[in-house]
Amino acid sequence: MKENSINIKEKKNFSQFIKNFIDAAGWPRIIIGIFLILLFAMTPIAKLKLSTSLSDTLVRVGMNAIMVLALVPMVQSGCGLNFGLPLGFIAGILGALLSIEFNLTGLKGLFSAILMAIPVAILFGYGYGQLLNRVKGDEMMIATYVGFSSVSLFCILWLLLPFRSPVMVWGYAGKGLRTTISTQKFWQNSLSDILSFRIGETFYFPTGMFLFFALLCFLIWAFFHTKIGTAMTAVGSNPDFARASGVNVDRMRTLSVIISTVLGAIGIIIYQQSYGFIQIYNGPLYMGFPAVAAILLGGASVHKANIGNVIIGTFLFQGILTMAPSVINSLLQTDMSEIFRIIISMGMILYALTRKTKGNR
Amino acid sequence: MKKIENKSDFFSKLIKNIGIFISKYPVPIMFIIFLIFTVPASHFTVKYLINELLTRLARNSFLVLSLLLPIMAGMGINFAMVLGAMAGQIALILITDWSIVGISGFFLAILVSLPIAVLLGFLCGYILNRAKGREMVTSMILGFFMNGFYQFIVLYLMGPVIPIKNKLLLLSRGFGIRNAINLQAIRQCMDDFIPITILKTQYDPGIKIPLMTFILIAVFCLFIVWFKKTKLGQDMRAVGQDRLIAESSGIASDRTRLLSIVISTILAAIGQIIFLQNVGTLSTYNSHDMTGQFAAASLLVGGATVSSANIGNVFLGVTLFHLMFIVSPMAGKNLLGNAQVGEYFRVFVSYGIIAIALVLYSWKRHKEKERERMALRQNVIESKIK
């Protein structure tokens, strides 16, 4: 009899634990997580190597993580999801192209690309931040169009800017940049290969890229524990209260936008060094959306995000994006990756936008 | 002496009025100034421009008109109108497969697209009701999201699940629709229903007027004018002005908003069918991509804002926006020596104009709010002094 009651109690505890866990993690994360585990378990059936799949996933996590991290400051300061991330990407692309124009290779090339991109990103971010301060409440919609219009403006500039390096311009005309530019001869994998190691033939771990990401995560984490960082969070959670306690709301918001744009610029350069190509013209147009989807999948909301959300979200999102198409491909012999990407990333954003929140009746 | 005073008075009034006019219609004025420079630079003849403009007015007006009702209901620009466009395209694929020709094919396409559009409209309205205050961004994301489903249906389900008899429509692998479909069967059947060509000479094809399409558009404009006066139309305006007040006066605001989206989606489906019967080819995976963006840009260029738009805005907007569309590749070639620049330029303008219009609107609203708050503060201070 006694044993039985203990059993029931344990069961209750267990169900309570499960309930708490579901509340904490949220349904989408659990569903996607289970799905991802299933996909990994299905690799032998689909005749894929688990080590290759894991390695691919990790490389893609490293490639995309910084772009996802770039969203954190703006969410924290109450500017919402930064759909204007392509603005930062453009600054990064500009830096990368300049470094190739100057023929810089290896780590020197990569870091000079980042260093050249940062001032541009600060400039862009400042203007963008000033704009967003004037349109409080409508940031997300306007951010999207700032991103779109800056990408299409730069489509024109890529044709007209006086780049001369023969690697980058169209051969027959001698001017106007190509649509994709290879970084292979310059700095492809120069960061990923630092301390990188292989297990067996197929497993590759890009240590350098992860170390760099960890460094940036630490910097952002540390920043949000300084006085300015705390003030920024305060602005995000209650702007009126923040103003009453003497925080300059507009300045904090501008600063968060600048940080976000700079991180976006760095993020795209890291992406390019791993991917091996710089995509210009309409390439960056929709690249902000997967990043937004990833952070939301990690459990962030329109009002709150932290570094844990970034790491979990990027892993789940990139895991699904790498695994699902390859498993489906080998089982059904069709390529559905594009459709899969659209439905998952847009579905996730849609879910976050329609979630019932306090301020939205 | 008095006369001079009057004169200066007149001028200051004029300047003031011009100032009000500019602050009321900043986007169209910017656009007109831009066109003054680029239209001559394109070296097109007036006749050519008129011909092109008439075609494009017939082609695009209906799509832009479909944006009016959600704006009236206070939901901003319905970027999810692409859902309607997708419904229209699915219907067009089906009637092409059934090889139904001419006007009957055109109307059958509309009939087939209706249930799909209603269903999608209900879905969209339901979702947007859950995202109050950020309808526009949600509708845009919803458009992208449904694009994924559309591709899935057209690329995988058409053939094995939805029967397609005509092998010419299918990809060589046996299922999925080809990238481009020739809509020979219904090409310009509406435009040419009452053929009218003016100024035709032996060497000159003249100006073609797609009369029947214009009649359809006119009928629809009348519908909107009438609709505004109905109970539902009045409800929509009330909800658009202030949702909470409307609700407390007994209007079911959620239902009204939902209906405005459903109607908008249906109209977008018809609009896309009209658009494609004029173009004559359906590019299965791209035709709807920019529909929402271009329609929104056209409407905003015509002087509409996120909260107010009328039929006049639609026609002014389509005219100005598409004039830019026609001239910019040639102008780009003549001014900068590269036609590609013009191509990119018109995409930039359509995104940029939406960005500017949204910013200006939001900015203005902020200033008004600030002014109201200051006025309130003034009252408090005054009452304290008293």
Side-chain angles (χ1 to χ4, degrees), chain A residues 83 131 133-138 140-142 144-146 148-150 152-153 155-156 159-160 175 179 240 243 281-282 285-286 289 302-303 334-336 338-339 342-344 346-350 352-357 360-361, chain B residues 79 127-134 136-138 140-142 144-145 147-149 151-152 155-156 173 175 243-244 247 289-290 293 336-338 340-341 344-345 347-352 354-355 358-359 361-363 365-366 373:
Chain A
F83 287 113
L131 181 71
N133 279 340
R134 286 173 173 75
V135 296
K136 281 176 198 141
D138 298 322
M140 284 197 276
M141 193 63 206
I142 286 167
T144 316
Y145 275 95
V146 168
F148 282 171
S149 44
S150 58
S152 47
L153 173 65
C155 280
I156 302 171
L159 282 173
L160 300 177
K175 58 181 182 181
T179 42
D240 293 325
R243 187 172 39 232
Y281 298 104
N282 281 326
L285 192 60
Y286 293 115
F289 293 112
V302 181
H303 307 289
T334 53
D335 180 24
M336 293 172 71
E338 181 63 19
I339 291 173
I342 295 176
I343 290 181
I344 290 200
M346 294 306 168
M348 199 58 227
I349 300 175
L350 210 54
L353 286 174
T354 51
R355 217 152 59 156
K356 289 256 187 269
T357 46
N360 154 31
R361 205 174 68 93
Chain B
F79 286 96
I127 287 175
L128 292 191
N129 270 341
R130 290 188 56 125
K132 281 174 193 137
R134 42 184 178 226
M136 275 198 281
V137 75
T138 311
M140 191 173 64
I141 300 285
L142 181 65
F144 293 144
F145 178 68
N147 187 25
F149 273 100
Q151 287 188 22
F152 178 71
L155 208 50
Y156 293 99
R173 64 178 184 191
F175 61 93
R243 188 162 48 82
L244 296 181
E247 208 159 306
D289 261 4
M290 296 298 277
Q293 314 289 356
L336 297 160
N338 193 337
Q340 190 68 37
V341 172
Y344 283 129
F345 184 79
V347 178
F348 165 62
V349 169
S350 60
Y351 284 140
I354 299 178
L358 290 175
V359 167
Y361 175 71
S362 176
W363 199 349
R365 214 178 45 179
H366 260 270
R373 243 184 51 190

Side-chain angles (χ1 to χ4, degrees), chain A residues 32-189:
Chain A
I32 298 273
I34 292 172
F35 191 44
L36 186 59
I37 294 168
L38 272 179
L39 284 173
F40 274 116
M42 270 164 73
T43 42
I45 308 169
K47 298 192 182 76
L48 294 167
K49 271 192 179 165
L50 186 62
S51 57
T52 325
S53 314
L54 259 178
S55 173
D56 285 351
T57 309
L58 285 175
V59 169
R60 287 181 65 156
V61 169
M63 270 161 79
N64 289 283
I66 297 172
M67 294 196 264
V68 183
L69 182 68
L71 296 165
V72 174
M74 270 176 68
V75 174
Q76 282 292 25
S77 73
C79 295
L81 302 166
N82 184 10
F83 287 113
L85 212 50
L87 192 67
F89 296 164
I90 285 190
I93 291 171
L94 213 54
L97 293 179
L98 282 174
S99 115
I100 288 184
E101 176 77 19
F102 298 141
N103 244 328
L104 302 169
T105 55
L107 274 181
K108 199 176 76 184
L110 183 71
F111 281 105
S112 55
I114 292 176
L115 283 181
M116 283 186 281
I118 285 176
V120 183
I122 291 176
L123 204 71
F124 284 179
Y126 180 76
Y128 178 32
Q130 291 295 320
L131 181 71
L132 288 190
N133 279 340
R134 286 173 173 75
V135 296
K136 281 176 198 141
D138 298 322
E139 289 101 341
M140 284 197 276
M141 193 63 206
I142 286 167
T144 316
Y145 275 95
V146 168
F148 282 171
S149 44
S150 58
V151 169
S152 47
L153 173 65
F154 269 81
C155 280
I156 302 171
L157 292 183
W158 301 138
L159 282 173
L160 300 177
L161 287 176
F163 283 104
R164 284 284 167 269
S165 165
V167 201
M168 298 194 295
V169 295
W170 290 113
Y172 49 85
K175 58 181 182 181
L177 292 164
R178 292 164 198 254
T179 42
T180 48
I181 294 157
S182 170
T183 60
Q184 199 193 352
K185 287 182 195 141
F186 298 91
W187 29 264
Q188 188 183 8
N189 281 335

Side-chain angles (χ1 to χ4, degrees), chain A residues 307-329:
Chain A
I307 290 171
N309 300 145
V310 173
I311 296 168
I312 297 173
T314 315
F315 184 77
L316 285 179
F317 186 70
Q318 293 301 330
I320 287 283
L321 283 199
T322 344
M323 295 303 300
S326 55
V327 169
I328 292 174
N329 280 0

